[in-house]
Amino acid sequence: MPRTTPPAPTTGPTTGPVPPTGSSSDATAAGPVSPPWEELVTSALLGTDRRPPGAASGTGTGPDAAAAALLDAAALHTVRRRAGLLPAPAAPRPDPAPADPRPALPEAARSRLAQLLADRAAPGGSGGRRGTAPDLTELIPQWLATANLHGYRAPDAALPPLLDAARARTDLRPQALTFAGPRGLWLAGLNPDWKFALRGASGSALLPEVTDLDAVRRLWEEGLFAERVALLSAVRAHEADAALALLATTWSTERAEDRLMFIDSLRTGLSGADEEFLEQALADRSRNVRATAAELLSALPGSALAHRMAARALSCVSPGLTGTGPSVAVEAPHECDAAMQRDGVVALPPSGRGERSWWLGQLVESSPLSVWPARFGGRGAREIVALPVADGWGEELHAAWCRAAVRQRDAEWARALLGAPSTPPSNGPGTASLAERSKLLAVLPATERADWVAGFIAAHGLSEAFQLLGVCPTPWAEPLGRSVVDALDIARDAGSYPWSFSGVMGLAERCLNPAEADRLEVLTTTPDEPADASPGANGYWSEAFQRLVSTLRLRAAMDRELIPAR
């Protein structure tokens, strides 16, 4: 016979005295003594033909009689156990949910939120859906940002799906938890699946208020590692000096991997007041801790480490002559001595890199950019970057200057290294790397950043613009939005398929100003295809532009729904 697994005896949420199976009381109450449950399971797994179910009796004969007897005995065990359960004492009731004084959502916005969260939770959701329908899942971050801007509180019924969404997408968590407010944290404390919400939340079940010094000190000394990291970050955001003093109390007894996480939290509010502590950390037993301390010190142009690095870098990079014009002469270090390594210079280069160029880059990126104008006769950053670099060291030197500009948040050097947006990346003054250019752009003011990217797209199209668009503020300013749409229209006229630009199209749906929808309506038509176009391309483009326009209109409706009633 086929193997038959009897259902496991049902056990409820409570435990109580259960009559032992196979006891004399069983025989009195239920007739013949049935085999123990474990024996029935063994018979079911091996098959009743190989292991008959012991003393279990059934009616009839034939190959199915033993199987029927087995199932009868299993049913008897199950009923007996269910009848033997006793209710357990009630658990303590949770504290009442805290009040949330923020205003309630307008009814239309409440319905919209339910729609967005339901679409996210539906099998498959709308993510990646083709056609003209907006991708509702990708609109949740914007909806939350706008709701928080108006200071609304989350509806109680929306808290569970909202916390589920934040659990699944870490990018939603800051906005979602702000919107969920104190009632969301209260609810998260009752469900282990939502424990992420308690990390880093001052005043939550895990963290005390940062102004409660006794509670902060007690959790710092007795808490779990994750609690301590969150606590240090919260205190650092509130008062940088207090966080540094707290860290200093236990620094010498911390594990190396813990020290690394703790010292990394000093990036928030980094200032000259941290220099003494970081300078001592340069002698730490952990190489990673030393490297992080050196990186943080080099971000402080006035630190002693920055001056030591500058002295080394100035000995390697100097004014020179190329023909009859000025240039940059480079003599890379010939060794990485102990003092350099103590200051964070990593001696062993990665695979494919030469030692001397590796050391040179680390010295230059850790040096204050303010030392170079004096070194090159009073020239400004743009003039220095434009100088030819002798002996093929230009790429290494400029890349190191890029890293220094990002680390020191120096907008003047970032502009110089980016150059004009119309200049091809391969011929630019700084680096051809789009990732490095994106980091340089992030140093510039928001309006200047958007204007530069608009000029880049106008000159070079969209093929290399995706990373650059990712650092531009939203909604996109008109020049940037217009340049993106014009470039998409040009790509359609060129006969390519829209999915070649799906990433940019997705950004446009989320980042274009919703007021642009009416102007873009003309792009939703399907023009005649030229003879050399890809088959059906214009139809796909029309569909993509319809989705763009419908998404912009939906975003505009979402914004109107969130406007407070007067």
Side-chain angles (χ1 to χ4, degrees):
M1 62 163 281
R3 297 180 183 177
T4 304
T5 303
T10 302
T11 56
T14 59
T15 58
V18 179
T21 59
S23 66
S24 59
S25 61
D26 291 339
T28 302
V33 177
S34 61
W37 178 260
E38 293 77 9
E39 185 175 331
L40 295 178
V41 172
T42 301
S43 295
L45 293 175
L46 296 179
T48 54
D49 55 339
R50 298 177 58 189
R51 180 66 66 86
S57 62
T59 60
T61 60
D64 293 332
L70 173 66
L71 294 177
D72 287 345
L76 180 63
H77 272 282
T78 301
V79 171
R80 182 181 294 127
R81 286 190 64 87
R82 285 177 176 172
L85 291 176
L86 297 177
R93 302 183 70 174
D95 294 333
D100 190 339
R102 296 176 297 175
L105 278 173
E107 186 57 36
R110 182 193 295 257
S111 299
R112 181 74 67 188
L113 174 62
Q115 179 190 16
L116 295 176
L117 294 175
D119 186 79
R120 186 209 69 83
S126 65
R129 184 189 321 169
R130 302 193 62 79
T132 61
D135 186 348
L136 300 184
T137 300
E138 291 304 319
L139 297 181
I140 296 176
Q142 177 187 328
W143 191 97
L144 289 171
T146 307
N148 287 333
L149 184 65
H150 290 298
Y152 291 118
R153 73 169 183 266
D156 292 345
L159 290 174
L162 182 65
L163 290 170
D164 281 339
R167 179 192 179 200
R169 287 182 54 177
T170 56
D171 62 308
L172 290 179
R173 290 181 184 178
Q175 295 283 9
L177 295 180
T178 298
F179 183 57
R183 295 174 77 86
L185 290 178
W186 172 84
L187 188 61
L190 303 176
N191 186 347
D193 287 344
W194 300 328
K195 61 183 178 182
F196 69 88
L198 305 178
R199 302 187 189 113
S202 181
S204 74
L206 289 182
L207 298 187
E209 293 292 343
V210 295
T211 54
D212 186 345
L213 301 184
D214 290 338
V216 166
R217 177 58 61 90
R218 184 165 55 253
L219 181 59
W220 179 250
E221 294 175 349
E222 302 173 2
L224 301 174
F225 173 67
E227 296 171 334
R228 300 178 72 218
V229 171
L231 176 67
L232 186 64
S233 298
V235 175
R236 182 73 175 179
H238 175 73
E239 186 179 351
D241 291 346
L244 186 65
L246 186 67
L247 179 57
T249 60
T250 60
W251 178 256
S252 62
T253 62
E254 304 286 358
R255 300 183 305 167
E257 55 268 33
D258 296 353
R259 294 198 304 276
L260 179 61
M261 292 292 293
F262 292 146
I263 199 171
D264 194 68
S265 69
L266 300 184
R267 296 180 190 277
T268 302
L270 183 67
S271 70
D274 302 313
E275 182 180 359
E276 181 180 355
F277 180 86
L278 293 172
E279 187 73 28
Q280 294 174 0
L282 291 176
D284 195 88
R285 301 183 301 276
S286 167
R287 180 174 62 84
N288 290 331
V289 172
R290 296 196 301 270
T292 302
E295 179 187 348
L296 295 176
L297 284 169
S298 66
L300 298 172
S303 68
L305 178 137
H307 287 294
R308 295 194 297 270
M309 288 296 202
R312 296 177 181 121
L314 290 172
S315 69
C316 298
V317 182
S318 59
L321 289 175
T322 300
T324 58
S327 67
V328 179
V330 175
E331 180 65 30
H334 290 274
E335 65 172 342
C336 183
D337 58 31
M340 289 170 60
Q341 293 183 49
R342 181 187 180 276
D343 283 346
V345 178
V346 179
L348 185 64
S351 178
R353 290 287 301 273
E355 286 184 335
R356 298 182 65 198
S357 64
W358 172 245
W359 300 333
L360 174 71
Q362 293 179 80
L363 295 181
V364 173
E365 72 181 70
S366 300
S367 301
L369 290 164
S370 58
V371 304
W372 299 113
R375 182 61 162 164
F376 288 93
R379 290 181 173 85
R382 199 177 298 273
E383 295 174 287
I384 296 172
V385 169
L387 292 174
V389 182
D391 301 326
W393 286 103
E395 182 177 352
E396 184 67 50
L397 181 61
H398 287 179
W401 276 336
C402 286
R403 296 192 294 272
V406 172
R407 187 178 296 183
Q408 298 171 37
R409 313 298 296 173
D410 193 306
E412 179 186 0
W413 275 84
R415 293 187 192 98
L417 291 160
L418 282 167
S422 58
T423 304
S426 58
N427 298 332
T431 173
S433 167
L434 291 174
E436 293 296 330
R437 286 182 162 228
S438 298
K439 294 176 183 178
L440 288 171
L441 278 169
V443 177
L444 301 181
T447 302
E448 184 178 356
R449 198 184 315 163
D451 289 343
W452 194 96
V453 177
F456 181 91
I457 292 173
H460 310 295
L462 292 169
S463 59
E464 296 182 314
F466 183 77
Q467 283 183 289
L468 305 180
L469 286 168
V471 299
C472 293
T474 58
W476 290 336
E478 183 180 356
L480 177 57
R482 188 177 296 274
S483 69
V484 171
V485 173
D486 289 346
L488 288 170
D489 198 19
I490 291 171
R492 175 173 67 171
D493 292 341
S496 60
Y497 285 114
W499 45 80
S500 299
F501 302 93
S502 59
V504 174
M505 186 66 79
L507 279 178
E509 292 173 11
R510 300 189 296 274
C511 301
L512 272 174
N513 192 322
E516 296 287 308
D518 291 340
R519 185 178 70 83
L520 301 179
E521 182 70 40
V522 67
L523 298 176
T524 62
T525 60
T526 305
D528 295 333
E529 291 183 355
D532 58 345
S534 302
N538 277 350
Y540 291 121
W541 275 108
S542 176
E543 182 181 272
F545 281 123
Q546 289 177 47
R547 183 171 61 250
L548 173 60
V549 170
S550 62
T551 301
L552 294 179
R553 286 177 173 157
L554 177 57
R555 288 174 52 206
M558 287 165 42
D559 289 343
R560 289 193 300 270
E561 292 164 356
L562 286 165
I563 295 176
R566 297 188 181 278

